Amino acid sequence: MRPFTVCVSLLAGVAIALVSMDANADSLVDVCSVDPTIIVELRYAGRNNLLGQPLYPHGTRALARPEVASALAVAQACLRRYQYGLKIWDAYRPEAVQAKLWQALHNSDYVANPEIGVGSLHSWGVAIDATLVDAWNRPVRMPTDFDDFTPAAMWRYVGPSPEVSAHVHMLQYAMHKAGFWGMRTEWWHFTIADWKKYLPEEARQSAQVAGTHWEGKL
């Protein structure tokens, strides 16, 4: 099989970092600068998302906290041993984009209200939406597509396909080894396990009050 050799962004062009007041630009890095073999296809930079329109400028990069990006590189190294790799569907998400998603869905089971508690952990640079690709960077069969708000998208796959089940378990295994937690309702969503330490004290207290309600929101 051909090894991974280059970071492929399906959104080519000059990258525009959408960084607002909810996360300091200096605290975020381009995931591909840490591991250029990770594939990036930011769904909110195109039309293939729940709103059917781009929410990020063309060429937006996948940004995350440096420690999160390093953990993704660990997961990628694990997956490459099995001839798989990561594709990132979303990473850092500005609060303005989170507000648009909330307005569209208004369902706190899937989208965090940016005006309550810590909001979305994507906006803190500590959450990632990811899927698998094969050794040729091609998508593999997974339970659902991105932003599928049905029981089929649950973390615990109960469908009939052994192939899909193996892919889900492979992704979960690699992300767990790298120090990520999953989300019960979305197989593609992962949050760095020690995410609270990246929040300011006042936001950390809010997260403690909210408990797991805020862990791993879309």
Side-chain angles (χ1 to χ4, degrees), residues 1-9 32 35-39 76 80 84-85 133-137:
M1 291 186 173
R2 180 174 60 85
F4 295 98
T5 57
V6 63
C7 175
V8 178
S9 173
C32 285
D35 189 332
T37 70
I38 294 175
I39 306 303
Q76 178 76 341
R80 290 182 69 184
Y84 290 103
V133 294
D134 66 15
W136 289 276
N137 299 340

Short mmCIF file of all heavy atoms in Angstrom, two decimals, residues 1-9 32 35-39 76 80 84-85 133-137:
data_model
loop_
_atom_site.label_atom_id
_atom_site.label_comp_id
_atom_site.label_asym_id
_atom_site.label_seq_id
_atom_site.Cartn_x
_atom_site.Cartn_y
_atom_site.Cartn_z
N MET A 1 0.83 -1.20 0.00
CA MET A 1 0.00 0.00 0.00
C MET A 1 0.87 1.25 0.00
O MET A 1 1.91 1.28 0.65
CB MET A 1 -0.90 0.03 1.23
CG MET A 1 -1.99 -1.04 1.21
SD MET A 1 -3.12 -0.85 2.60
CE MET A 1 -4.33 -2.08 2.18
N ARG A 2 0.41 2.28 -0.69
CA ARG A 2 1.19 3.51 -0.77
C ARG A 2 1.14 4.25 0.56
O ARG A 2 0.07 4.48 1.11
CB ARG A 2 0.61 4.41 -1.86
CG ARG A 2 1.35 5.72 -2.03
CD ARG A 2 0.79 6.47 -3.23
NE ARG A 2 -0.60 6.77 -3.08
CZ ARG A 2 -1.07 7.83 -2.43
NH1 ARG A 2 -0.24 8.68 -1.84
NH2 ARG A 2 -2.36 8.06 -2.34
N PRO A 3 2.27 4.62 1.13
CA PRO A 3 2.26 5.31 2.42
C PRO A 3 1.77 6.74 2.27
O PRO A 3 1.78 7.32 1.20
CB PRO A 3 3.73 5.27 2.83
CG PRO A 3 4.48 5.23 1.54
CD PRO A 3 3.64 4.39 0.62
N PHE A 4 1.34 7.31 3.40
CA PHE A 4 0.97 8.72 3.41
C PHE A 4 2.23 9.56 3.25
O PHE A 4 3.24 9.33 3.89
CB PHE A 4 0.33 9.09 4.76
CG PHE A 4 -0.98 8.40 5.00
CD1 PHE A 4 -1.04 7.26 5.78
CD2 PHE A 4 -2.14 8.89 4.44
CE1 PHE A 4 -2.25 6.63 6.02
CE2 PHE A 4 -3.34 8.28 4.67
CZ PHE A 4 -3.40 7.15 5.46
N THR A 5 2.15 10.57 2.38
CA THR A 5 3.33 11.40 2.18
C THR A 5 3.05 12.88 2.26
O THR A 5 3.96 13.68 2.38
CB THR A 5 3.93 11.13 0.78
OG1 THR A 5 2.93 11.38 -0.22
CG2 THR A 5 4.41 9.70 0.66
N VAL A 6 1.79 13.28 2.21
CA VAL A 6 1.51 14.71 2.15
C VAL A 6 0.19 15.00 2.83
O VAL A 6 -0.71 14.17 2.84
CB VAL A 6 1.46 15.20 0.67
CG1 VAL A 6 0.33 14.53 -0.08
CG2 VAL A 6 1.33 16.72 0.60
N CYS A 7 0.09 16.16 3.44
CA CYS A 7 -1.17 16.58 4.03
C CYS A 7 -2.04 17.11 2.91
O CYS A 7 -1.70 18.08 2.25
CB CYS A 7 -0.94 17.66 5.07
SG CYS A 7 -2.48 18.33 5.72
N VAL A 8 -3.17 16.48 2.68
CA VAL A 8 -4.07 16.88 1.61
C VAL A 8 -5.21 17.67 2.20
O VAL A 8 -5.97 17.15 3.00
CB VAL A 8 -4.63 15.67 0.87
CG1 VAL A 8 -5.60 16.10 -0.22
CG2 VAL A 8 -3.50 14.86 0.27
N SER A 9 -5.33 18.92 1.89
CA SER A 9 -6.50 19.70 2.28
C SER A 9 -7.41 19.78 1.09
O SER A 9 -7.02 20.24 0.02
CB SER A 9 -6.09 21.11 2.73
OG SER A 9 -7.24 21.90 2.95
N CYS A 32 -2.03 20.22 10.52
CA CYS A 32 -1.13 19.67 9.50
C CYS A 32 0.32 20.11 9.69
O CYS A 32 1.22 19.49 9.15
CB CYS A 32 -1.62 20.07 8.11
SG CYS A 32 -3.06 19.13 7.57
N ASP A 35 1.43 17.21 12.00
CA ASP A 35 1.49 15.94 11.25
C ASP A 35 0.92 16.15 9.85
O ASP A 35 -0.30 16.19 9.68
CB ASP A 35 0.73 14.83 11.96
CG ASP A 35 0.97 13.47 11.33
OD1 ASP A 35 1.26 13.41 10.12
OD2 ASP A 35 0.85 12.46 12.04
N PRO A 36 1.78 16.33 8.85
CA PRO A 36 1.30 16.62 7.49
C PRO A 36 0.64 15.44 6.80
O PRO A 36 0.17 15.59 5.67
CB PRO A 36 2.58 17.05 6.75
CG PRO A 36 3.68 16.39 7.50
CD PRO A 36 3.25 16.36 8.94
N THR A 37 0.58 14.28 7.44
CA THR A 37 -0.10 13.14 6.81
C THR A 37 -1.58 13.09 7.13
O THR A 37 -2.32 12.29 6.56
CB THR A 37 0.54 11.80 7.24
OG1 THR A 37 0.24 11.54 8.61
CG2 THR A 37 2.04 11.81 7.02
N ILE A 38 -2.04 13.93 8.05
CA ILE A 38 -3.46 13.95 8.42
C ILE A 38 -4.24 14.68 7.33
O ILE A 38 -3.86 15.76 6.88
CB ILE A 38 -3.66 14.65 9.78
CG1 ILE A 38 -3.01 13.81 10.89
CG2 ILE A 38 -5.14 14.85 10.07
CD1 ILE A 38 -3.03 14.47 12.26
N ILE A 39 -5.33 14.07 6.90
CA ILE A 39 -6.17 14.65 5.85
C ILE A 39 -7.17 15.62 6.47
O ILE A 39 -7.68 15.39 7.57
CB ILE A 39 -6.94 13.54 5.10
CG1 ILE A 39 -5.97 12.48 4.58
CG2 ILE A 39 -7.76 14.13 3.96
CD1 ILE A 39 -4.90 13.01 3.69
N GLN A 76 -2.72 9.28 14.72
CA GLN A 76 -2.37 9.01 13.33
C GLN A 76 -1.29 7.94 13.22
O GLN A 76 -1.37 7.03 12.38
CB GLN A 76 -1.90 10.30 12.65
CG GLN A 76 -1.47 10.17 11.21
CD GLN A 76 -2.63 10.03 10.23
OE1 GLN A 76 -3.75 9.70 10.61
NE2 GLN A 76 -2.37 10.29 8.97
N ARG A 80 -1.73 4.37 11.27
CA ARG A 80 -0.88 4.03 10.12
C ARG A 80 -0.30 2.63 10.24
O ARG A 80 -0.01 1.99 9.24
CB ARG A 80 0.23 5.08 9.98
CG ARG A 80 -0.29 6.43 9.52
CD ARG A 80 0.82 7.42 9.35
NE ARG A 80 1.68 7.09 8.22
CZ ARG A 80 2.78 7.77 7.90
NH1 ARG A 80 3.15 8.81 8.64
NH2 ARG A 80 3.51 7.42 6.87
N TYR A 84 -4.47 2.69 8.07
CA TYR A 84 -5.54 3.68 8.08
C TYR A 84 -4.96 5.04 8.43
O TYR A 84 -3.78 5.17 8.75
CB TYR A 84 -6.62 3.31 9.11
CG TYR A 84 -7.43 2.10 8.75
CD1 TYR A 84 -7.19 0.87 9.36
CD2 TYR A 84 -8.44 2.17 7.79
CE1 TYR A 84 -7.93 -0.25 9.03
CE2 TYR A 84 -9.19 1.06 7.46
CZ TYR A 84 -8.94 -0.15 8.07
OH TYR A 84 -9.67 -1.26 7.75
N GLY A 85 -5.82 6.06 8.38
CA GLY A 85 -5.40 7.40 8.75
C GLY A 85 -6.60 8.23 9.15
O GLY A 85 -7.75 7.82 8.99
N VAL A 133 -9.71 7.23 6.92
CA VAL A 133 -9.43 6.99 5.51
C VAL A 133 -8.53 5.77 5.42
O VAL A 133 -7.92 5.36 6.42
CB VAL A 133 -8.75 8.20 4.83
CG1 VAL A 133 -9.69 9.39 4.77
CG2 VAL A 133 -7.45 8.58 5.56
N ASP A 134 -8.44 5.18 4.24
CA ASP A 134 -7.56 4.03 4.08
C ASP A 134 -6.15 4.49 3.70
O ASP A 134 -5.85 5.70 3.71
CB ASP A 134 -8.13 3.03 3.07
CG ASP A 134 -8.19 3.57 1.64
OD1 ASP A 134 -7.55 4.61 1.34
OD2 ASP A 134 -8.89 2.97 0.81
N ALA A 135 -5.28 3.57 3.35
CA ALA A 135 -3.89 3.90 3.06
C ALA A 135 -3.73 4.75 1.80
O ALA A 135 -2.66 5.33 1.58
CB ALA A 135 -3.07 2.62 2.92
N TRP A 136 -4.78 4.83 0.97
CA TRP A 136 -4.76 5.67 -0.23
C TRP A 136 -5.55 6.96 -0.01
O TRP A 136 -5.91 7.64 -0.96
CB TRP A 136 -5.30 4.91 -1.43
CG TRP A 136 -4.39 3.82 -1.90
CD1 TRP A 136 -3.32 3.93 -2.75
CD2 TRP A 136 -4.44 2.43 -1.53
NE1 TRP A 136 -2.73 2.72 -2.94
CE2 TRP A 136 -3.38 1.77 -2.21
CE3 TRP A 136 -5.27 1.68 -0.70
CZ2 TRP A 136 -3.16 0.40 -2.07
CZ3 TRP A 136 -5.05 0.32 -0.56
CH2 TRP A 136 -3.99 -0.31 -1.24
N ASN A 137 -5.83 7.27 1.27
CA ASN A 137 -6.57 8.48 1.64
C ASN A 137 -8.02 8.47 1.17
O ASN A 137 -8.64 9.53 1.06
CB ASN A 137 -5.87 9.75 1.12
CG ASN A 137 -4.48 9.91 1.70
OD1 ASN A 137 -4.17 9.33 2.74
ND2 ASN A 137 -3.65 10.69 1.03
#
